Amino acid sequence: MRLKRFLLRYFPPGIILEYEKGGELKTKAIDLLELSPTTDVDLVVEEIQKAEPLITASRTQQVKQLILRLQEKIGQQDSRQFYLFKVLRAHILPLTNVAFNKSGSSFITGSYDRTCKVWDTASGEELHTLEGHRNVVYAIQFNNPYGDKIATGSFDKTCKLWSAETGKCYHTFRGHTAEIVCLAFNPQSTLIATGSMDTTAKLWDIQSGEEALTLSGHAAEIISLSFNTTGDRLITGSFDHTVSVWEIPSGRRIHTLIGHRGEISSAQFNWDCSLIATASMDKSCKLWDSLNGKCVATLTGHEDEVLDVTFDSTGQLVATASADGTARVYSASSRKCLAKLEGHEGEISKICFNAQGNRILTASSDKTSRLWNPHTGECLQVLKGHTDEIFSCAFNYEGNTIITGSKDNTCRIWR
């Protein structure tokens, strides 16, 4: 084994080693999820050297410099105010979802008008209209980190795969017998998973355009699904009050997470795939050990349905959004509530962290989106201007651009 070079990963913090083994180029990651501005770097370097044979004594200075760069990035204070850059009269009917590509250079909007549109973030120009669905385009996603493909899931029971560059449709995936309401690319961008009101999830092969697997076992609609970071697990959340953990590519159901007393609204893995967070209409969020499928914590406090849940990029914080108009931030390790985000005057349907983990963005039916400090719970900014409820919002990777999608048929770019 011969170390070729280091690559830096800012969020979540880590160093990627590129090395040669038997004439083949391979990579492995050293995750530094606990790194903070006060961490003793020499100690970290020492631990890495003990654990990683590729890091020889001659490389320690280099590794130290990389960790110092990560530390500097983490420590950067961000006091930016966002301003409205553009209002895009995006669709002739309400929007369903918005999503960025990894670099944030373009984003997509789905709509009840049966189209998905691709936009240039810098100019606000429309690049493509993806037409062909015969009903609402509900679930949309880029195949990040690559960003060269887009998947759209529709109430017409099909999923389509498109070229992000040309807008050409590569495949139409047919097989579901009811609306598709959620979808995800695996991290390798070789498979698309779709979840449907027909109670099944399906996996589709991106190359061949064929169905690879059907995951059956839920007793009601699948409303949420996501892959873990490595792509060997998929979770599906259902209206049957349970979440299933599936092994990929075999399609074997490994665990059924049973304990919620209401429909599941969202299910997510943390970065190192050790935990699963689930949000439910039973007013709670639960944390589960992904290896044994056991519930390790129930995060309570909300007075109404929990509509969304998300981890920060390191997996140390969990944020929940509720129909009670508040959001909450919990520590994933201590399971304690660290902050209550209060100020919205209507339900919060969407919550997300920026990649840095120092800002939270919420979307609400009160027609505003808000920016928060996740550690103090302070509301830093109210993004006003939409004339109807906002149900989708997103940060770009850099954290310097925000998009919000509303029932008012517009999408707003803030920066």
mmCIF file with all atom_site columns, all heavy atoms in Angstrom, residues 293-313:
data_model
loop_
_atom_site.group_PDB
_atom_site.id
_atom_site.type_symbol
_atom_site.label_atom_id
_atom_site.label_alt_id
_atom_site.label_comp_id
_atom_site.label_asym_id
_atom_site.label_entity_id
_atom_site.label_seq_id
_atom_site.pdbx_PDB_ins_code
_atom_site.Cartn_x
_atom_site.Cartn_y
_atom_site.Cartn_z
_atom_site.occupancy
_atom_site.B_iso_or_equiv
_atom_site.pdbx_formal_charge
_atom_site.auth_seq_id
_atom_site.auth_comp_id
_atom_site.auth_asym_id
_atom_site.auth_atom_id
_atom_site.pdbx_PDB_model_num
ATOM 1   N N   . GLY A 1 293 ? -31.312 -2.252 16.023 1.00 0.00 ? 293 GLY A N   1
ATOM 2   C CA  . GLY A 1 293 ? -32.717 -1.872 15.829 1.00 0.00 ? 293 GLY A CA  1
ATOM 3   C C   . GLY A 1 293 ? -33.463 -1.513 17.089 1.00 0.00 ? 293 GLY A C   1
ATOM 4   O O   . GLY A 1 293 ? -34.675 -1.387 17.094 1.00 0.00 ? 293 GLY A O   1
ATOM 5   N N   . LYS A 1 294 ? -32.718 -1.316 18.193 1.00 0.00 ? 294 LYS A N   1
ATOM 6   C CA  . LYS A 1 294 ? -33.355 -0.982 19.476 1.00 0.00 ? 294 LYS A CA  1
ATOM 7   C C   . LYS A 1 294 ? -33.512 0.536  19.616 1.00 0.00 ? 294 LYS A C   1
ATOM 8   O O   . LYS A 1 294 ? -32.641 1.303  19.196 1.00 0.00 ? 294 LYS A O   1
ATOM 9   C CB  . LYS A 1 294 ? -32.507 -1.489 20.648 1.00 0.00 ? 294 LYS A CB  1
ATOM 10  C CG  . LYS A 1 294 ? -32.328 -3.008 20.684 1.00 0.00 ? 294 LYS A CG  1
ATOM 11  C CD  . LYS A 1 294 ? -33.384 -3.658 21.564 1.00 0.00 ? 294 LYS A CD  1
ATOM 12  C CE  . LYS A 1 294 ? -33.102 -5.127 21.817 1.00 0.00 ? 294 LYS A CE  1
ATOM 13  N NZ  . LYS A 1 294 ? -33.154 -5.978 20.610 1.00 0.00 ? 294 LYS A NZ  1
ATOM 14  N N   . CYS A 1 295 ? -34.602 0.954  20.262 1.00 0.00 ? 295 CYS A N   1
ATOM 15  C CA  . CYS A 1 295 ? -34.816 2.376  20.532 1.00 0.00 ? 295 CYS A CA  1
ATOM 16  C C   . CYS A 1 295 ? -33.923 2.793  21.700 1.00 0.00 ? 295 CYS A C   1
ATOM 17  O O   . CYS A 1 295 ? -33.961 2.179  22.767 1.00 0.00 ? 295 CYS A O   1
ATOM 18  C CB  . CYS A 1 295 ? -36.281 2.640  20.882 1.00 0.00 ? 295 CYS A CB  1
ATOM 19  S SG  . CYS A 1 295 ? -36.599 4.379  21.222 1.00 0.00 ? 295 CYS A SG  1
ATOM 20  N N   . VAL A 1 296 ? -33.093 3.826  21.488 1.00 0.00 ? 296 VAL A N   1
ATOM 21  C CA  . VAL A 1 296 ? -32.184 4.254  22.559 1.00 0.00 ? 296 VAL A CA  1
ATOM 22  C C   . VAL A 1 296 ? -32.670 5.536  23.241 1.00 0.00 ? 296 VAL A C   1
ATOM 23  O O   . VAL A 1 296 ? -32.210 5.877  24.319 1.00 0.00 ? 296 VAL A O   1
ATOM 24  C CB  . VAL A 1 296 ? -30.736 4.449  22.041 1.00 0.00 ? 296 VAL A CB  1
ATOM 25  C CG1 . VAL A 1 296 ? -30.136 3.114  21.642 1.00 0.00 ? 296 VAL A CG1 1
ATOM 26  C CG2 . VAL A 1 296 ? -30.674 5.429  20.871 1.00 0.00 ? 296 VAL A CG2 1
ATOM 27  N N   . ALA A 1 297 ? -33.607 6.244  22.619 1.00 0.00 ? 297 ALA A N   1
ATOM 28  C CA  . ALA A 1 297 ? -34.126 7.464  23.241 1.00 0.00 ? 297 ALA A CA  1
ATOM 29  C C   . ALA A 1 297 ? -35.437 7.893  22.592 1.00 0.00 ? 297 ALA A C   1
ATOM 30  O O   . ALA A 1 297 ? -35.652 7.677  21.400 1.00 0.00 ? 297 ALA A O   1
ATOM 31  C CB  . ALA A 1 297 ? -33.115 8.597  23.117 1.00 0.00 ? 297 ALA A CB  1
ATOM 32  N N   . THR A 1 298 ? -36.303 8.490  23.398 1.00 0.00 ? 298 THR A N   1
ATOM 33  C CA  . THR A 1 298 ? -37.499 9.142  22.881 1.00 0.00 ? 298 THR A CA  1
ATOM 34  C C   . THR A 1 298 ? -37.378 10.612 23.230 1.00 0.00 ? 298 THR A C   1
ATOM 35  O O   . THR A 1 298 ? -37.250 10.976 24.402 1.00 0.00 ? 298 THR A O   1
ATOM 36  C CB  . THR A 1 298 ? -38.777 8.550  23.497 1.00 0.00 ? 298 THR A CB  1
ATOM 37  O OG1 . THR A 1 298 ? -38.830 7.151  23.184 1.00 0.00 ? 298 THR A OG1 1
ATOM 38  C CG2 . THR A 1 298 ? -40.018 9.215  22.928 1.00 0.00 ? 298 THR A CG2 1
ATOM 39  N N   . LEU A 1 299 ? -37.337 11.455 22.206 1.00 0.00 ? 299 LEU A N   1
ATOM 40  C CA  . LEU A 1 299 ? -37.163 12.896 22.406 1.00 0.00 ? 299 LEU A CA  1
ATOM 41  C C   . LEU A 1 299 ? -38.548 13.537 22.444 1.00 0.00 ? 299 LEU A C   1
ATOM 42  O O   . LEU A 1 299 ? -39.256 13.557 21.439 1.00 0.00 ? 299 LEU A O   1
ATOM 43  C CB  . LEU A 1 299 ? -36.315 13.489 21.275 1.00 0.00 ? 299 LEU A CB  1
ATOM 44  C CG  . LEU A 1 299 ? -34.999 12.756 20.977 1.00 0.00 ? 299 LEU A CG  1
ATOM 45  C CD1 . LEU A 1 299 ? -34.266 13.404 19.810 1.00 0.00 ? 299 LEU A CD1 1
ATOM 46  C CD2 . LEU A 1 299 ? -34.092 12.718 22.210 1.00 0.00 ? 299 LEU A CD2 1
ATOM 47  N N   . THR A 1 300 ? -38.929 13.997 23.624 1.00 0.00 ? 300 THR A N   1
ATOM 48  C CA  . THR A 1 300 ? -40.284 14.534 23.808 1.00 0.00 ? 300 THR A CA  1
ATOM 49  C C   . THR A 1 300 ? -40.242 16.036 24.023 1.00 0.00 ? 300 THR A C   1
ATOM 50  O O   . THR A 1 300 ? -39.181 16.632 24.145 1.00 0.00 ? 300 THR A O   1
ATOM 51  C CB  . THR A 1 300 ? -40.974 13.867 25.010 1.00 0.00 ? 300 THR A CB  1
ATOM 52  O OG1 . THR A 1 300 ? -40.132 14.074 26.159 1.00 0.00 ? 300 THR A OG1 1
ATOM 53  C CG2 . THR A 1 300 ? -41.162 12.382 24.788 1.00 0.00 ? 300 THR A CG2 1
ATOM 54  N N   . GLY A 1 301 ? -41.410 16.639 24.105 1.00 0.00 ? 301 GLY A N   1
ATOM 55  C CA  . GLY A 1 301 ? -41.500 18.073 24.373 1.00 0.00 ? 301 GLY A CA  1
ATOM 56  C C   . GLY A 1 301 ? -42.448 18.778 23.428 1.00 0.00 ? 301 GLY A C   1
ATOM 57  O O   . GLY A 1 301 ? -43.048 19.785 23.783 1.00 0.00 ? 301 GLY A O   1
ATOM 58  N N   . HIS A 1 302 ? -42.585 18.261 22.210 1.00 0.00 ? 302 HIS A N   1
ATOM 59  C CA  . HIS A 1 302 ? -43.496 18.897 21.261 1.00 0.00 ? 302 HIS A CA  1
ATOM 60  C C   . HIS A 1 302 ? -44.950 18.633 21.669 1.00 0.00 ? 302 HIS A C   1
ATOM 61  O O   . HIS A 1 302 ? -45.262 17.578 22.204 1.00 0.00 ? 302 HIS A O   1
ATOM 62  C CB  . HIS A 1 302 ? -43.248 18.389 19.840 1.00 0.00 ? 302 HIS A CB  1
ATOM 63  C CG  . HIS A 1 302 ? -42.034 18.992 19.198 1.00 0.00 ? 302 HIS A CG  1
ATOM 64  N ND1 . HIS A 1 302 ? -41.915 20.344 18.964 1.00 0.00 ? 302 HIS A ND1 1
ATOM 65  C CD2 . HIS A 1 302 ? -40.883 18.424 18.742 1.00 0.00 ? 302 HIS A CD2 1
ATOM 66  C CE1 . HIS A 1 302 ? -40.742 20.574 18.384 1.00 0.00 ? 302 HIS A CE1 1
ATOM 67  N NE2 . HIS A 1 302 ? -40.091 19.438 18.248 1.00 0.00 ? 302 HIS A NE2 1
ATOM 68  N N   . GLU A 1 303 ? -45.787 19.609 21.373 1.00 0.00 ? 303 GLU A N   1
ATOM 69  C CA  . GLU A 1 303 ? -47.199 19.497 21.757 1.00 0.00 ? 303 GLU A CA  1
ATOM 70  C C   . GLU A 1 303 ? -48.099 19.096 20.594 1.00 0.00 ? 303 GLU A C   1
ATOM 71  O O   . GLU A 1 303 ? -49.317 19.028 20.736 1.00 0.00 ? 303 GLU A O   1
ATOM 72  C CB  . GLU A 1 303 ? -47.673 20.833 22.360 1.00 0.00 ? 303 GLU A CB  1
ATOM 73  C CG  . GLU A 1 303 ? -47.106 21.060 23.753 1.00 0.00 ? 303 GLU A CG  1
ATOM 74  C CD  . GLU A 1 303 ? -47.106 22.520 24.171 1.00 0.00 ? 303 GLU A CD  1
ATOM 75  O OE1 . GLU A 1 303 ? -47.893 23.302 23.585 1.00 0.00 ? 303 GLU A OE1 1
ATOM 76  O OE2 . GLU A 1 303 ? -46.320 22.856 25.071 1.00 0.00 ? 303 GLU A OE2 1
ATOM 77  N N   . ASP A 1 304 ? -47.485 18.862 19.444 1.00 0.00 ? 304 ASP A N   1
ATOM 78  C CA  . ASP A 1 304 ? -48.258 18.430 18.281 1.00 0.00 ? 304 ASP A CA  1
ATOM 79  C C   . ASP A 1 304 ? -47.336 17.551 17.418 1.00 0.00 ? 304 ASP A C   1
ATOM 80  O O   . ASP A 1 304 ? -46.175 17.317 17.766 1.00 0.00 ? 304 ASP A O   1
ATOM 81  C CB  . ASP A 1 304 ? -48.756 19.653 17.498 1.00 0.00 ? 304 ASP A CB  1
ATOM 82  C CG  . ASP A 1 304 ? -50.038 19.352 16.701 1.00 0.00 ? 304 ASP A CG  1
ATOM 83  O OD1 . ASP A 1 304 ? -50.287 18.158 16.403 1.00 0.00 ? 304 ASP A OD1 1
ATOM 84  O OD2 . ASP A 1 304 ? -50.759 20.296 16.357 1.00 0.00 ? 304 ASP A OD2 1
ATOM 85  N N   . GLU A 1 305 ? -47.858 17.110 16.283 1.00 0.00 ? 305 GLU A N   1
ATOM 86  C CA  . GLU A 1 305 ? -47.109 16.201 15.405 1.00 0.00 ? 305 GLU A CA  1
ATOM 87  C C   . GLU A 1 305 ? -45.706 16.715 15.080 1.00 0.00 ? 305 GLU A C   1
ATOM 88  O O   . GLU A 1 305 ? -45.517 17.902 14.838 1.00 0.00 ? 305 GLU A O   1
ATOM 89  C CB  . GLU A 1 305 ? -47.898 16.032 14.094 1.00 0.00 ? 305 GLU A CB  1
ATOM 90  C CG  . GLU A 1 305 ? -49.296 15.463 14.314 1.00 0.00 ? 305 GLU A CG  1
ATOM 91  C CD  . GLU A 1 305 ? -50.198 15.559 13.081 1.00 0.00 ? 305 GLU A CD  1
ATOM 92  O OE1 . GLU A 1 305 ? -49.855 16.336 12.160 1.00 0.00 ? 305 GLU A OE1 1
ATOM 93  O OE2 . GLU A 1 305 ? -51.213 14.856 13.045 1.00 0.00 ? 305 GLU A OE2 1
ATOM 94  N N   . VAL A 1 306 ? -44.738 15.798 15.057 1.00 0.00 ? 306 VAL A N   1
ATOM 95  C CA  . VAL A 1 306 ? -43.381 16.147 14.606 1.00 0.00 ? 306 VAL A CA  1
ATOM 96  C C   . VAL A 1 306 ? -43.341 15.861 13.101 1.00 0.00 ? 306 VAL A C   1
ATOM 97  O O   . VAL A 1 306 ? -43.562 14.736 12.671 1.00 0.00 ? 306 VAL A O   1
ATOM 98  C CB  . VAL A 1 306 ? -42.300 15.342 15.356 1.00 0.00 ? 306 VAL A CB  1
ATOM 99  C CG1 . VAL A 1 306 ? -40.910 15.747 14.871 1.00 0.00 ? 306 VAL A CG1 1
ATOM 100 C CG2 . VAL A 1 306 ? -42.409 15.565 16.865 1.00 0.00 ? 306 VAL A CG2 1
ATOM 101 N N   . LEU A 1 307 ? -43.091 16.901 12.317 1.00 0.00 ? 307 LEU A N   1
ATOM 102 C CA  . LEU A 1 307 ? -43.233 16.797 10.863 1.00 0.00 ? 307 LEU A CA  1
ATOM 103 C C   . LEU A 1 307 ? -41.907 16.565 10.137 1.00 0.00 ? 307 LEU A C   1
ATOM 104 O O   . LEU A 1 307 ? -41.890 16.147 8.989  1.00 0.00 ? 307 LEU A O   1
ATOM 105 C CB  . LEU A 1 307 ? -43.892 18.077 10.319 1.00 0.00 ? 307 LEU A CB  1
ATOM 106 C CG  . LEU A 1 307 ? -45.272 18.390 10.915 1.00 0.00 ? 307 LEU A CG  1
ATOM 107 C CD1 . LEU A 1 307 ? -45.775 19.728 10.408 1.00 0.00 ? 307 LEU A CD1 1
ATOM 108 C CD2 . LEU A 1 307 ? -46.262 17.280 10.576 1.00 0.00 ? 307 LEU A CD2 1
ATOM 109 N N   . ASP A 1 308 ? -40.791 16.866 10.806 1.00 0.00 ? 308 ASP A N   1
ATOM 110 C CA  . ASP A 1 308 ? -39.492 16.665 10.157 1.00 0.00 ? 308 ASP A CA  1
ATOM 111 C C   . ASP A 1 308 ? -38.417 16.478 11.213 1.00 0.00 ? 308 ASP A C   1
ATOM 112 O O   . ASP A 1 308 ? -38.541 16.981 12.338 1.00 0.00 ? 308 ASP A O   1
ATOM 113 C CB  . ASP A 1 308 ? -39.161 17.876 9.266  1.00 0.00 ? 308 ASP A CB  1
ATOM 114 C CG  . ASP A 1 308 ? -38.077 17.577 8.231  1.00 0.00 ? 308 ASP A CG  1
ATOM 115 O OD1 . ASP A 1 308 ? -37.822 16.386 7.950  1.00 0.00 ? 308 ASP A OD1 1
ATOM 116 O OD2 . ASP A 1 308 ? -37.479 18.534 7.703  1.00 0.00 ? 308 ASP A OD2 1
ATOM 117 N N   . VAL A 1 309 ? -37.376 15.750 10.833 1.00 0.00 ? 309 VAL A N   1
ATOM 118 C CA  . VAL A 1 309 ? -36.221 15.566 11.727 1.00 0.00 ? 309 VAL A CA  1
ATOM 119 C C   . VAL A 1 309 ? -34.968 15.536 10.870 1.00 0.00 ? 309 VAL A C   1
ATOM 120 O O   . VAL A 1 309 ? -34.996 15.075 9.726  1.00 0.00 ? 309 VAL A O   1
ATOM 121 C CB  . VAL A 1 309 ? -36.355 14.272 12.573 1.00 0.00 ? 309 VAL A CB  1
ATOM 122 C CG1 . VAL A 1 309 ? -36.361 13.018 11.698 1.00 0.00 ? 309 VAL A CG1 1
ATOM 123 C CG2 . VAL A 1 309 ? -35.233 14.178 13.602 1.00 0.00 ? 309 VAL A CG2 1
ATOM 124 N N   . THR A 1 310 ? -33.880 16.055 11.421 1.00 0.00 ? 310 THR A N   1
ATOM 125 C CA  . THR A 1 310 ? -32.623 16.052 10.683 1.00 0.00 ? 310 THR A CA  1
ATOM 126 C C   . THR A 1 310 ? -31.440 16.022 11.642 1.00 0.00 ? 310 THR A C   1
ATOM 127 O O   . THR A 1 310 ? -31.547 16.517 12.771 1.00 0.00 ? 310 THR A O   1
ATOM 128 C CB  . THR A 1 310 ? -32.530 17.296 9.762  1.00 0.00 ? 310 THR A CB  1
ATOM 129 O OG1 . THR A 1 310 ? -31.360 17.210 8.971  1.00 0.00 ? 310 THR A OG1 1
ATOM 130 C CG2 . THR A 1 310 ? -32.491 18.589 10.557 1.00 0.00 ? 310 THR A CG2 1
ATOM 131 N N   . PHE A 1 311 ? -30.336 15.434 11.201 1.00 0.00 ? 311 PHE A N   1
ATOM 132 C CA  . PHE A 1 311 ? -29.072 15.501 11.945 1.00 0.00 ? 311 PHE A CA  1
ATOM 133 C C   . PHE A 1 311 ? -28.227 16.624 11.344 1.00 0.00 ? 311 PHE A C   1
ATOM 134 O O   . PHE A 1 311 ? -28.372 16.948 10.162 1.00 0.00 ? 311 PHE A O   1
ATOM 135 C CB  . PHE A 1 311 ? -28.281 14.197 11.774 1.00 0.00 ? 311 PHE A CB  1
ATOM 136 C CG  . PHE A 1 311 ? -28.762 13.044 12.602 1.00 0.00 ? 311 PHE A CG  1
ATOM 137 C CD1 . PHE A 1 311 ? -29.549 12.038 12.036 1.00 0.00 ? 311 PHE A CD1 1
ATOM 138 C CD2 . PHE A 1 311 ? -28.406 12.923 13.940 1.00 0.00 ? 311 PHE A CD2 1
ATOM 139 C CE1 . PHE A 1 311 ? -29.974 10.955 12.788 1.00 0.00 ? 311 PHE A CE1 1
ATOM 140 C CE2 . PHE A 1 311 ? -28.833 11.836 14.698 1.00 0.00 ? 311 PHE A CE2 1
ATOM 141 C CZ  . PHE A 1 311 ? -29.616 10.847 14.120 1.00 0.00 ? 311 PHE A CZ  1
ATOM 142 N N   . ASP A 1 312 ? -27.312 17.192 12.146 1.00 0.00 ? 312 ASP A N   1
ATOM 143 C CA  . ASP A 1 312 ? -26.308 18.064 11.541 1.00 0.00 ? 312 ASP A CA  1
ATOM 144 C C   . ASP A 1 312 ? -25.297 17.181 10.819 1.00 0.00 ? 312 ASP A C   1
ATOM 145 O O   . ASP A 1 312 ? -25.375 15.949 10.892 1.00 0.00 ? 312 ASP A O   1
ATOM 146 C CB  . ASP A 1 312 ? -25.639 18.963 12.594 1.00 0.00 ? 312 ASP A CB  1
ATOM 147 C CG  . ASP A 1 312 ? -24.729 18.199 13.543 1.00 0.00 ? 312 ASP A CG  1
ATOM 148 O OD1 . ASP A 1 312 ? -24.835 16.956 13.619 1.00 0.00 ? 312 ASP A OD1 1
ATOM 149 O OD2 . ASP A 1 312 ? -23.907 18.837 14.225 1.00 0.00 ? 312 ASP A OD2 1
ATOM 150 N N   . SER A 1 313 ? -24.341 17.790 10.102 1.00 0.00 ? 313 SER A N   1
ATOM 151 C CA  . SER A 1 313 ? -23.477 16.970 9.236  1.00 0.00 ? 313 SER A CA  1
ATOM 152 C C   . SER A 1 313 ? -22.563 16.018 10.010 1.00 0.00 ? 313 SER A C   1
ATOM 153 O O   . SER A 1 313 ? -22.163 14.984 9.493  1.00 0.00 ? 313 SER A O   1
ATOM 154 C CB  . SER A 1 313 ? -22.645 17.851 8.291  1.00 0.00 ? 313 SER A CB  1
ATOM 155 O OG  . SER A 1 313 ? -21.665 18.552 9.020  1.00 0.00 ? 313 SER A OG  1
#
